[in-house]
Amino acid sequence: GNGNTLQSVILSGTGDVTVRGGGGVITGILLEGTEVDLQAPTGTRRHVVQLGASQTEGVSANGLIDLHLAQDRLPIYALSAGWAGKTVAEMAGGTTFETWAATLPFKDILLTSFGINDTDDAAFQTNYQTIITKALAAGFNRVICRGLGFPVASYTSKNAKMEAAVTAVADARAIYASIDTWTGVSGVHPNRAEYMLMADQSVASHYALYV
Protein backbone atom coordinates (compact mmCIF):
# COMPACT_ATOMS: atom_id res chain seq x y z
CA GLY A 1 0.00 0.00 0.00
CA ASN A 2 0.86 3.65 0.12
CA GLY A 3 3.40 4.05 2.89
CA ASN A 4 2.34 7.65 3.46
CA THR A 5 -1.29 6.72 4.13
CA LEU A 6 -2.65 4.69 7.05
CA GLN A 7 -3.48 1.21 5.79
CA SER A 8 -4.97 -1.95 7.30
CA VAL A 9 -3.41 -5.12 6.00
CA ILE A 10 -3.61 -8.85 6.68
CA LEU A 11 -0.64 -10.92 5.58
CA SER A 12 -0.78 -14.70 5.53
CA GLY A 13 1.29 -17.53 4.17
CA THR A 14 3.74 -20.24 4.98
CA GLY A 15 6.91 -18.37 3.99
CA ASP A 16 8.71 -15.32 5.33
CA VAL A 17 6.99 -11.98 4.81
CA THR A 18 8.71 -8.61 5.15
CA VAL A 19 6.87 -5.29 5.25
CA ARG A 20 8.74 -2.02 5.03
CA GLY A 21 6.87 1.21 5.59
CA GLY A 22 7.60 4.58 4.05
CA GLY A 23 6.89 7.85 5.78
CA GLY A 24 3.63 6.63 7.29
CA VAL A 25 2.34 3.84 9.50
CA ILE A 26 1.12 0.45 8.34
CA THR A 27 -1.04 -1.42 10.83
CA GLY A 28 -2.33 -4.94 10.59
CA ILE A 29 -2.11 -8.54 11.67
CA LEU A 30 0.62 -10.91 10.61
CA LEU A 31 -0.60 -14.52 10.38
CA GLU A 32 1.95 -17.30 10.14
CA GLY A 33 1.77 -21.07 9.87
CA THR A 34 0.13 -23.69 7.70
CA GLU A 35 -3.22 -22.93 6.10
CA VAL A 36 -5.27 -24.85 8.67
CA ASP A 37 -3.54 -23.03 11.52
CA LEU A 38 -4.10 -19.50 10.26
CA GLN A 39 -6.49 -17.54 12.44
CA ALA A 40 -6.80 -13.97 13.59
CA PRO A 41 -5.86 -13.28 17.22
CA THR A 42 -8.74 -12.83 19.61
CA GLY A 43 -9.30 -10.53 22.55
CA THR A 44 -8.44 -6.91 23.14
CA ARG A 45 -5.61 -5.52 21.01
CA ARG A 46 -3.82 -2.22 21.59
CA HIS A 47 -1.85 0.14 19.38
CA VAL A 48 1.60 0.89 20.78
CA VAL A 49 4.14 3.50 19.76
CA GLN A 50 7.67 2.78 20.99
CA LEU A 51 9.94 5.73 21.55
CA GLY A 52 13.55 5.75 22.61
CA ALA A 53 16.92 4.12 22.29
CA SER A 54 18.05 1.77 19.52
CA GLN A 55 16.49 -1.29 21.18
CA THR A 56 13.05 0.10 20.29
CA GLU A 57 13.88 -0.33 16.60
CA GLY A 58 15.37 -3.78 17.00
CA VAL A 59 18.96 -2.73 16.41
CA SER A 60 21.46 -5.52 16.99
CA ALA A 61 25.19 -5.84 16.46
CA ASN A 62 24.42 -7.52 13.13
CA GLY A 63 21.74 -5.21 11.76
CA LEU A 64 17.98 -4.87 12.30
CA ILE A 65 15.69 -7.40 13.98
CA ASP A 66 12.07 -7.85 12.87
CA LEU A 67 10.11 -6.39 15.77
CA HIS A 68 6.97 -8.40 15.01
CA LEU A 69 8.84 -11.13 16.93
CA ALA A 70 8.20 -9.05 20.04
CA GLN A 71 4.80 -7.78 18.92
CA ASP A 72 3.03 -11.11 18.50
CA ARG A 73 3.58 -12.11 22.16
CA LEU A 74 1.64 -9.17 23.57
CA PRO A 75 -1.98 -8.11 22.98
CA ILE A 76 -0.80 -5.43 20.53
CA TYR A 77 -2.68 -4.61 17.33
CA ALA A 78 0.14 -2.60 15.81
CA LEU A 79 3.53 -1.39 16.93
CA SER A 80 5.64 1.39 15.48
CA ALA A 81 8.93 2.93 16.56
CA GLY A 82 10.39 6.38 16.36
CA TRP A 83 13.34 8.54 17.29
CA ALA A 84 15.84 5.80 18.07
CA GLY A 85 19.04 7.14 19.59
CA LYS A 86 17.54 10.33 20.99
CA THR A 87 18.38 11.37 24.53
CA VAL A 88 15.90 12.34 27.21
CA ALA A 89 17.49 15.78 27.37
CA GLU A 90 16.98 16.34 23.61
CA MET A 91 13.35 15.28 23.78
CA ALA A 92 12.55 17.34 26.88
CA GLY A 93 13.78 20.55 25.30
CA GLY A 94 11.82 22.62 22.80
CA THR A 95 8.64 21.60 21.02
CA THR A 96 9.94 18.75 18.85
CA PHE A 97 8.15 16.08 20.90
CA GLU A 98 4.81 17.86 20.71
CA THR A 99 5.17 18.40 16.96
CA TRP A 100 5.95 14.72 16.43
CA ALA A 101 3.11 13.51 18.68
CA ALA A 102 0.61 15.64 16.80
CA THR A 103 1.31 13.67 13.60
CA LEU A 104 0.40 10.29 15.09
CA PRO A 105 -2.91 8.72 14.00
CA PHE A 106 -3.20 6.73 17.25
CA LYS A 107 -2.30 7.69 20.81
CA ASP A 108 -3.32 4.57 22.67
CA ILE A 109 -0.09 3.53 24.40
CA LEU A 110 3.34 5.17 24.36
CA LEU A 111 6.13 2.79 25.38
CA THR A 112 9.27 4.70 26.29
CA SER A 113 12.67 3.07 26.62
CA PHE A 114 15.24 5.81 26.43
CA GLY A 115 17.98 7.23 28.61
CA ILE A 116 20.86 4.90 27.76
CA ASN A 117 22.48 7.74 25.79
CA ASP A 118 22.07 10.30 28.59
CA THR A 119 24.44 11.29 31.35
CA ASP A 120 23.29 9.98 34.72
CA ASP A 121 23.04 13.37 36.39
CA ALA A 122 20.57 15.31 38.51
CA ALA A 123 18.71 16.46 35.40
CA PHE A 124 17.88 12.93 34.24
CA GLN A 125 14.82 12.53 36.47
CA THR A 126 13.58 16.06 35.77
CA ASN A 127 13.91 15.60 32.00
CA TYR A 128 12.15 12.23 32.12
CA GLN A 129 9.33 13.72 34.14
CA THR A 130 9.01 16.49 31.53
CA ILE A 131 8.63 13.93 28.73
CA ILE A 132 5.94 12.02 30.64
CA THR A 133 4.04 15.25 31.25
CA LYS A 134 4.32 16.22 27.58
CA ALA A 135 3.13 12.77 26.49
CA LEU A 136 0.05 12.95 28.68
CA ALA A 137 -0.68 16.48 27.48
CA ALA A 138 -0.35 15.24 23.88
CA GLY A 139 -3.23 12.85 24.49
CA PHE A 140 -1.63 9.43 25.04
CA ASN A 141 -4.00 7.20 27.01
CA ARG A 142 -1.15 5.39 28.73
CA VAL A 143 2.58 6.04 29.05
CA ILE A 144 4.59 2.94 29.95
CA CYS A 145 8.13 3.81 31.05
CA ARG A 146 10.17 0.64 30.67
CA GLY A 147 13.42 0.28 32.59
CA LEU A 148 16.79 0.25 30.87
CA GLY A 149 19.24 -2.59 30.15
CA PHE A 150 21.44 -4.50 29.41
CA PRO A 151 22.81 -5.74 31.70
CA VAL A 152 20.13 -4.32 33.97
CA ALA A 153 22.63 -3.89 36.82
CA SER A 154 24.41 -1.20 34.78
CA TYR A 155 21.34 1.03 34.84
CA THR A 156 20.16 0.74 38.45
CA SER A 157 20.60 4.46 39.13
CA LYS A 158 18.83 5.64 35.97
CA ASN A 159 15.98 3.19 36.47
CA ALA A 160 15.48 4.47 40.01
CA LYS A 161 15.31 8.04 38.69
CA MET A 162 12.85 6.95 35.99
CA GLU A 163 10.60 5.31 38.57
CA ALA A 164 10.82 8.42 40.74
CA ALA A 165 9.80 10.57 37.75
CA VAL A 166 6.69 8.45 37.26
CA THR A 167 5.86 8.75 40.95
CA ALA A 168 6.33 12.52 40.82
CA VAL A 169 3.94 12.88 37.87
CA ALA A 170 1.29 11.20 40.04
CA ASP A 171 -0.99 10.23 37.15
CA ALA A 172 -2.48 6.73 36.85
CA ARG A 173 -1.88 6.84 33.08
CA ALA A 174 1.91 6.88 33.65
CA ILE A 175 3.39 3.53 34.70
CA TYR A 176 6.93 2.40 35.45
CA ALA A 177 7.62 -1.08 34.02
CA SER A 178 10.57 -2.70 35.77
CA ILE A 179 12.84 -5.13 33.94
CA ASP A 180 14.95 -5.86 37.01
CA THR A 181 14.27 -9.61 36.77
CA TRP A 182 15.13 -9.90 33.05
CA THR A 183 18.18 -12.03 32.32
CA GLY A 184 19.96 -13.59 29.38
CA VAL A 185 20.63 -10.41 27.40
CA SER A 186 24.28 -9.42 27.26
CA GLY A 187 24.41 -5.92 25.79
CA VAL A 188 22.53 -2.83 24.64
CA HIS A 189 22.22 -4.30 21.11
CA PRO A 190 20.77 -7.79 21.64
CA ASN A 191 21.01 -10.45 18.96
CA ARG A 192 17.98 -12.16 17.41
CA ALA A 193 17.74 -14.85 20.11
CA GLU A 194 18.04 -12.25 22.86
CA TYR A 195 15.25 -10.13 21.36
CA MET A 196 13.08 -13.27 21.41
CA LEU A 197 14.00 -13.73 25.07
CA MET A 198 13.13 -10.10 25.80
CA ALA A 199 9.71 -10.64 24.20
CA ASP A 200 9.07 -13.67 26.42
CA GLN A 201 10.12 -11.76 29.53
CA SER A 202 7.96 -8.80 28.54
CA VAL A 203 4.94 -11.11 28.47
CA ALA A 204 5.84 -12.52 31.89
CA SER A 205 6.34 -9.06 33.42
CA HIS A 206 4.11 -6.64 31.55
CA TYR A 207 1.27 -8.40 29.74
CA ALA A 208 -1.38 -6.82 31.94
CA LEU A 209 -0.22 -3.33 30.97
CA TYR A 210 -1.38 -3.87 27.37
CA VAL A 211 -4.92 -5.10 27.97
Side-chain angles (χ1 to χ4, degrees):
N2 180 358
N4 294 309
T5 304
L6 182 65
Q7 302 285 330
S8 294
V9 295
I10 295 180
L11 306 174
S12 64
T14 57
D16 293 333
V17 179
T18 300
V19 177
R20 299 187 185 279
V25 179
I26 297 177
T27 63
I29 302 169
L30 177 62
L31 304 176
E32 294 182 313
T34 62
E35 183 177 356
V36 295
D37 294 329
L38 291 176
Q39 56 182 331
T42 59
T44 302
R45 309 289 287 186
R46 307 297 294 269
H47 186 282
V48 176
V49 177
Q50 289 195 115
L51 180 64
S54 51
Q55 288 174 8
T56 67
E57 290 194 350
V59 176
S60 75
N62 300 315
L64 296 176
I65 303 295
D66 185 353
L67 275 183
H68 93 265
L69 297 173
Q71 174 181 343
D72 61 15
R73 287 166 169 74
L74 287 166
I76 296 173
Y77 173 68
L79 180 149
S80 56
W83 282 18
K86 290 286 186 179
T87 65
V88 180
E90 285 179 283
M91 294 163 60
T95 59
T96 305
F97 178 89
E98 293 95 320
T99 301
W100 168 78
T103 68
L104 298 176
F106 299 104
K107 294 178 186 176
D108 192 7
I109 295 176
L110 178 69
L111 172 62
T112 70
S113 184
F114 48 63
I116 285 179
N117 300 314
D118 284 83
T119 301
D120 187 10
D121 56 17
F124 184 85
Q125 178 180 329
T126 302
N127 288 333
Y128 216 108
Q129 185 174 336
T130 297
I131 289 297
I132 298 171
T133 301
K134 286 187 174 186
L136 294 174
F140 286 99
N141 296 321
R142 184 174 301 172
V143 180
I144 300 174
C145 303
R146 194 178 74 185
L148 302 174
F150 295 91
V152 176
S154 298
Y155 300 96
T156 300
S157 175
K158 286 184 177 180
N159 287 341
K161 290 182 175 72
M162 189 190 307
E163 185 172 14
V166 171
T167 299
V169 169
D171 191 303
R173 295 172 294 169
I175 301 167
Y176 175 69
S178 172
I179 64 168
D180 289 352
T181 61
W182 292 18
T183 59
V185 182
S186 57
V188 295
H189 290 158
N191 60 32
R192 183 182 182 88
E194 289 171 336
Y195 270 109
M196 298 283 282
L197 183 60
M198 287 172 61
D200 290 337
Q201 293 179 116
S202 182
V203 169
S205 301
H206 304 146
Y207 190 94
L209 298 181
Y210 295 89
V211 296

